[in-house]
Amino acid sequence: MSDSSRDTAQGAGWGSAEPGTYKQLMPDHVEKLSWLSPRTLWAARNGVLASWFGDPTGRTRSRWVARRAAAGAPADKVIQRETADRFSFMLIGDTGEGDASQYAVVPGFLKASQGTDFAVIASDVIYPVGGADDYGSKFFRPYQDYPAPIYAIPGNHDWYEDLGAFMRVFCADTPPLEPEPRPRPFSRGWWRDLLWHRPRPADEQRLAAARSLRAAPGRQAVQPGPYWAIDAGPLRIVGIDTGLLGTIDAEQGAWLREVSRGPRPKILITGSPLYVDGEHHPCAIEGGGTVDDIVRDPAHRYVAAIGGDIHNYQRYPVDVDGRTIQYVVAGGGGAFMHATHTIPRVSVAGVTERDFRCYPLRGDSLAFYSRLYGHRLRLRRFFTLTEAEATAVVAERLGIEPGRRPGPDTRITRRTRLVASLLGTGGRPDRTSRFRLPVRKVYTQLFSPGSATYSPPFFKSFLRLDVTAETVRLRCFAATGNRAQEVHPPVEDEIVIPLN
């Protein structure tokens, strides 16, 4: 087994390394996606409009579900897979940027996925707006050599064109919805409707050519809708659609309560993680209650809740009345990296730094962003921190043992501390810095320049889950863009979850 980032700096992908082969898989021309582009921001405006003028996602989702039911989809939305008590599946989140950051994951994913029965994409299959014309280079091409079915739950970006392309690709080529009546003039709904980004007509020849890349019968996965459950072996996997704003409607909430009943062990997969960045986000259900209320109910027997949306890996083992539920963030499958160095010292729901796991390690995250912004601002000598310097200053600020020991000669200087503060590095709850911005992730989320400017190590990740009648073995694998991690994908975290 190869070194992980917890073992050595080389295991994290630092230093001189042989480039990976992922570029051979990419199209000849890759459109650069910048999240600072006015064109991109305008195309992705529906999330902002929904927060200002009311969220239509629940009503639209209900219409999609009704259309699938009329076409013969099972009323309980449960997919029955004929598997033995032992089976395996892959999980990868927030995949679809279509550039090097996504394709760098593919070789390791194919290597680690050998022998798995199916895969699940958790959130944001396609960036920036879930358009049908992007599925060729951002879904069918990268995963054309994965030999088993791929299921998916949509993220907010898949909803920016009202989920039309997602329903066509994953839900039996469901045709578009008919336009709804216009709201009364000058109402909130009228303003939203006036400004709403509409789905673009699909290039049918282009979509057909893309589908041919995964046309083999054994690769087909037909879903009953944007939310579903899979019964496989001893386990029920429940996937929910959290729409544009990270909530679920009353109709889906009622289904979730119903499908969660019974003694069968369950794993939840959601577009919005319930624990993330040291905080609890229980996910509201329209009409009352939360998704986490359902997960925590001992009668439902959830053993894990895995969410995408945030582009890194995190794990919180939360004690709930004497049993442990593993809350996992798994959105590191291809989009730009959300920082981990901005996560403050963890103390939430009884989970402390001793129990918490993340990838990339906070020191690697800080070193990555210092290099990125040193290049972007043309201040390399000031901003750029070595991985050892970054690891040391993060450990000092949080008062924790580093995930990987820096060298004995590593010095923490005034410049090191200043750069760490300017880049939003987390700290202890009882400490603040006068240099620290009030919005903790302002640099690494709002002003992220996108993956087009990244170079290895990318710090991407994906999961493999091996299920038996007694346990689920969850492993987080790393993808850096370097050849060594393609040939032997390192395991960055592993946990065995009991089902009994």
Side-chain angles (χ1 to χ4, degrees):
M1 184 178 293
S2 59
D3 285 348
S4 74
S5 68
R6 292 179 176 273
D7 299 316
T8 64
Q10 290 72 27
W14 296 114
S16 59
E18 180 185 355
T21 62
Y22 64 91
K23 289 186 178 181
Q24 301 171 18
L25 308 174
M26 297 174 63
D28 293 334
H29 172 71
V30 176
E31 183 179 355
K32 292 184 178 181
L33 176 60
S34 171
W35 293 104
L36 298 179
S37 162
R39 179 182 175 186
T40 301
L41 294 171
W42 179 243
R45 63 189 179 271
N46 286 1
V48 175
L49 295 175
S51 65
W52 287 354
F53 301 114
D55 185 3
T57 302
R59 184 175 67 251
T60 305
R61 183 188 295 116
S62 182
R63 296 175 69 204
W64 283 123
V65 169
R67 174 160 288 188
R68 288 291 292 128
D76 61 4
K77 303 172 186 59
V78 177
I79 302 163
Q80 300 289 342
R81 290 197 57 86
E82 298 299 326
T83 58
D85 280 351
R86 291 178 176 269
F87 75 97
S88 303
F89 70 99
M90 303 298 291
L91 190 144
I92 184 168
D94 298 81
T95 53
E97 279 200 7
D99 51 21
S101 190
Q102 176 178 11
Y103 279 86
V105 179
V106 174
F109 176 86
L110 294 176
K111 183 95 173 181
S113 68
Q114 293 177 11
T116 56
D117 294 83
F118 58 91
V120 176
I121 297 179
S123 182
D124 292 339
V125 182
I126 301 294
Y127 292 101
V129 294
D133 290 349
D134 287 331
Y135 267 86
S137 61
K138 300 179 181 182
F139 174 71
F140 288 105
R141 183 184 182 111
Y143 310 118
Q144 62 183 311
D145 292 326
Y146 180 67
I150 301 176
Y151 302 94
I153 57 169
N156 57 313
H157 288 268
D158 300 303
W159 269 101
Y160 287 159
E161 289 202 350
D162 294 338
L163 212 64
F166 181 97
M167 294 299 294
R168 291 198 62 182
V169 170
F170 293 103
C171 301
D173 210 14
T174 305
L177 298 172
E178 297 79 11
E180 288 193 291
R182 295 291 299 274
R184 60 183 177 82
F186 304 108
S187 65
R188 293 177 72 210
W190 183 85
W191 286 109
R192 182 188 65 219
D193 193 62
L194 179 68
L195 299 170
W196 201 252
H197 173 82
R198 305 291 175 189
R200 297 164 294 180
D203 182 330
E204 295 299 333
Q205 289 186 333
R206 183 174 177 177
L207 183 58
R211 287 181 188 270
S212 69
L213 298 175
R214 285 188 51 82
R219 302 182 183 191
Q220 304 310 303
V222 177
Q223 300 177 191
Y227 57 92
W228 41 258
I230 298 173
D231 279 352
L235 190 67
R236 172 167 284 186
I237 304 160
V238 180
I240 61 172
D241 168 20
T242 54
L244 281 170
L245 301 182
T247 61
I248 66 173
D249 60 281
E251 180 181 314
Q252 185 181 181
W255 170 85
L256 178 60
R257 291 184 176 97
E258 181 63 31
V259 82
S260 297
R261 291 176 180 166
R264 191 173 196 155
K266 300 172 188 72
I267 290 177
L268 180 77
I269 301 176
T270 168
S272 298
L274 303 182
Y275 282 89
V276 60
D277 296 345
E279 299 173 350
H280 185 209
H281 298 271
C283 188
I285 299 174
E286 180 186 22
T290 70
V291 170
D292 203 28
D293 292 338
I294 296 171
V295 170
R296 287 168 173 263
D297 188 329
H300 296 157
R301 295 199 63 196
Y302 278 94
V303 298
I306 305 172
D309 188 52
I310 303 300
H311 306 164
N312 53 45
Y313 173 81
Q314 301 173 44
R315 180 169 62 83
Y316 301 81
V318 177
D319 181 88
V320 180
D321 299 326
R323 61 194 179 95
T324 300
I325 300 176
Q326 300 290 340
Y327 290 88
V328 177
V329 178
F336 69 89
M337 185 189 84
H338 281 147
T340 58
H341 69 266
T342 57
I343 302 172
R345 180 169 173 163
V346 170
S347 180
V348 60
V351 179
T352 66
E353 281 292 330
R354 183 184 62 183
D355 314 304
F356 171 68
R357 294 290 182 273
C358 69
Y359 177 79
L361 297 175
R362 289 182 177 98
D364 290 330
S365 172
L366 177 58
F368 176 96
Y369 271 97
S370 75
R371 183 175 66 169
L372 183 69
Y373 279 94
H375 171 75
R376 188 180 179 201
L377 299 174
R378 299 183 180 180
L379 293 170
R380 287 187 180 91
R381 291 188 64 184
F382 172 74
F383 258 102
T384 303
L385 304 179
T386 68
E387 54 83 19
E389 289 173 328
T391 297
V393 75
V394 164
E396 178 189 75
R397 286 177 64 89
L398 271 68
I400 61 173
E401 288 292 320
R404 181 182 67 245
R405 290 281 181 183
D409 298 330
T410 303
R411 294 175 58 242
I412 302 175
T413 65
R414 184 175 299 176
R415 179 189 70 90
T416 307
R417 293 187 178 101
L418 177 58
V419 171
S421 292
L422 289 173
L423 292 179
T425 305
R428 286 177 269 184
D430 59 336
R431 277 190 166 186
T432 58
S433 167
R434 68 180 182 273
F435 297 115
R436 195 167 173 202
L437 295 173
V439 180
R440 177 159 48 90
K441 293 191 175 180
V442 67
Y443 279 106
T444 58
Q445 287 187 335
L446 182 60
F447 295 125
S448 174
S451 298
T453 60
Y454 289 8
S455 58
F458 291 119
F459 296 112
K460 299 288 92 187
S461 57
F462 55 89
L463 307 185
R464 174 172 173 141
L465 295 95
D466 298 292
V467 182
T468 71
E470 295 81 26
T471 62
V472 175
R473 181 191 185 197
L474 182 153
R475 284 176 288 172
C476 172
F477 290 89
T480 66
N482 293 327
R483 177 66 174 157
Q485 284 81 38
E486 285 184 354
V487 175
H488 300 291
V491 176
E492 291 291 338
D493 187 34
E494 179 174 356
I495 186 70
V496 175
I497 305 169
L499 294 182
N500 298 320

